[in-house]
Amino acid sequence: MDRSENTFIFLGKRKMIELMKEQFEYFTDKDAKQNYFHYDKYGKSERLTYLDDYDNVHDLYHSIVGGEEMCLYHENNDRNRRVNLPSFRLLKATNGGHSKSVISSLKEYRKEIAAQPKANNLEHQRSDQER
């Protein structure tokens, strides 16, 4: 079994929609609500389809193709175009398939958080009456 098959992680409907919207040309499609997208999940693949106002069918397919994890997009029956997977995929794959918890992230960045100036506190901008 190929190593990429062991690390395959489903993106899910929300992330697939984000990726597909990056491919759209028109703002009306970029603003489309989630319920206009049809999401299917199969063994080790997932597909998202969208029908726009002009009867164009948009398709986004995420799977293992030729032993490599790929995300392919096409409109109508045009040729597939490869879509680069976002960086959050790399974080999940290196963390055993699990995203970091908020607590572990806070512990990791504790020094950077502590080094931030206290000026980020907006309390001094409030009026006495608001306090």
Side-chain angles (χ1 to χ4, degrees):
M1 187 179 275
D2 194 311
R3 182 180 171 158
S4 61
E5 290 181 28
N6 291 333
T7 60
F8 181 81
I9 301 167
F10 289 97
L11 296 174
K13 185 175 182 178
R14 189 173 57 85
K15 291 292 181 188
M16 292 279 285
I17 290 173
E18 287 176 20
L19 282 174
M20 184 180 276
K21 283 185 174 186
E22 289 176 8
Q23 308 306 310
F24 291 157
E25 297 177 37
Y26 304 106
F27 289 106
T28 54
D29 294 323
K30 290 183 180 189
D31 292 335
K33 294 189 180 351
Q34 192 173 30
N35 56 342
Y36 290 115
F37 296 84
H38 180 73
Y39 175 78
D40 286 314
K41 189 173 173 180
Y42 310 101
K44 285 210 171 200
S45 66
E46 55 191 338
R47 173 173 259 133
L48 185 74
T49 53
Y50 171 73
L51 179 68
D52 66 21
D53 292 339
Y54 303 102
D55 293 329
N56 295 310
V57 178
H58 302 262
D59 186 51
L60 185 64
Y61 180 71
H62 176 227
S63 187
I64 304 294
V65 179
E68 185 180 351
E69 182 178 2
M70 284 192 199
C71 204
L72 303 170
Y73 168 81
H74 74 270
E75 183 178 341
N76 297 325
N77 287 322
D78 288 346
R79 193 176 177 140
N80 284 331
R81 181 172 72 230
R82 189 168 180 172
V83 176
N84 291 329
L85 293 169
S87 59
F88 73 85
R89 299 283 296 128
L90 296 174
L91 288 174
K92 281 185 152 187
T94 57
N95 196 17
H98 302 291
S99 58
K100 289 183 181 180
S101 71
V102 173
I103 294 171
S104 66
S105 293
L106 285 173
K107 286 180 182 176
E108 184 178 336
Y109 296 107
R110 183 179 294 155
K111 289 179 184 175
E112 288 87 348
I113 293 169
Q116 294 297 318
K118 300 295 182 200
N120 286 338
N121 187 347
L122 299 177
E123 183 66 26
H124 69 281
Q125 295 181 10
R126 296 171 72 189
S127 68
D128 290 335
Q129 191 174 13
E130 289 177 317
R131 291 184 193 148

